[in-house]
Each structure stands twice: as C-alpha cells, then as structure tokens.
Amino acid sequence: MKTLFVAYRVTDLDRSLDFYTALGYAELGRVNGGDGSRLVILKFPGEPAASLELVHHPVGGRVDVGNGVDYLAIQVDTLAAALERLTDAGLEPGPVQYPGGPRGPKTSWLTDPDGYRIELVEWPPGHPDGITAADFSRSTPTGRGAGAE
C-alpha cells in the first residue's frame, strides 16, 4: 500500500487554485459532480503522480478547517528561492525557522485561503529526500522527530 494523495475541501476553488499553482502545483485533471461539486487533482511538476486534491462542494458552504488537520509539509530545494518566488506571487510566507538548530532543516510556514497550514522544508546538505527512519535516530543532525514542527 501507499498513500495516493491528500484531499482538502475548499471554499472558493478558483482562489485555492490560484494559491496552489503559485505554490508550484500543476493541474493534473478535473472531475465535475452532478450537484456543482468539482474536484481538481494537482501534482508538482517533478512528481510522477497526483499528490493533492482540492474538493469544492458549493452546497456545503464555507469550509471550517477546525483542529483535525495540522499541516501539509512540502520539501523545497532552496527555501530562500521558494520564499522569493512565493512573495513575488503575492503569497505571504513566514520567516525562516531552524527547528533542528543551525545544521538542521530550514522551514517556513504559510496558510492557504481556507486556513490550511503549509510547512516548507529545505533539508540540510546530504539529507535524503523525504523523511526516513534515520530522521528519528539520535545520530542525525536534522533535528526532526515525531511531531516536530
């Protein structure tokens, strides 16, 4: 088994699409429901398959994110370049943070139009893509751990 994608319910599909395409996602496909509902499947250009679905149910009204979803983590090659591109696109990423200390990952946070939080992560040099079992070992300098923000 493997995770296919995460689906977020959104209030305004066009506004959310503007946000996520500015973030770097590309549209993979759409599905229109009979009741006006629409699904848009997204992926990053380098990904082989979908990784995010935006779900719009206009009859459901405004989305209330609540406290059940914490955040979506997105790996970037260079955080400084990503922050510059996002700021130029009109988004408002937060300041750079170093949750694992100066030799650990660099992170920044931003929030989508419905209130979903997104953590942008730049791994330190030599770190493999993604999070692996090594990230939970005391010998790794990443500073990441279960539930780390």
Side-chain angles (χ1 to χ4, degrees):
M1 286 192 266
K2 71 176 188 172
T3 302
L4 292 177
F5 54 81
V6 172
Y8 280 169
R9 189 169 156 253
V10 299
T11 301
D12 181 329
L13 184 59
D14 292 332
R15 185 173 177 208
S16 292
L17 277 172
D18 288 345
F19 176 89
Y20 284 99
T21 54
L23 189 55
Y25 281 96
E27 186 174 323
L28 186 62
R30 289 179 178 239
V31 176
N32 292 316
D35 62 352
S37 296
R38 295 182 289 164
L39 310 175
V40 178
I41 312 299
L42 304 173
K43 72 179 205 77
F44 282 114
E47 292 178 322
S51 59
L52 181 64
E53 177 180 81
L54 301 179
V55 179
H56 181 242
H57 295 297
V59 296
R62 176 147 185 80
V63 170
D64 178 9
V65 173
N67 62 4
V69 174
D70 198 2
Y71 62 92
L72 172 66
I74 296 175
Q75 180 176 314
V76 298
D77 292 329
T78 307
L79 187 58
L83 296 180
E84 182 177 347
R85 184 178 55 77
L86 295 171
T87 301
D88 289 348
L91 304 185
E92 298 178 9
V96 175
Q97 299 176 4
Y98 300 86
R103 294 186 312 151
K106 296 177 193 174
T107 65
S108 177
W109 292 87
L110 68 154
T111 304
D112 89 346
D114 285 297
Y116 294 107
R117 296 180 331 136
I118 298 166
E119 179 189 34
L120 304 174
V121 180
E122 176 187 334
W123 294 117
H127 189 282
D129 283 346
I131 292 180
T132 67
D135 288 304
F136 299 95
S137 162
R138 292 183 186 262
S139 62
T140 183
T142 65
R144 297 296 289 194
E149 288 189 26

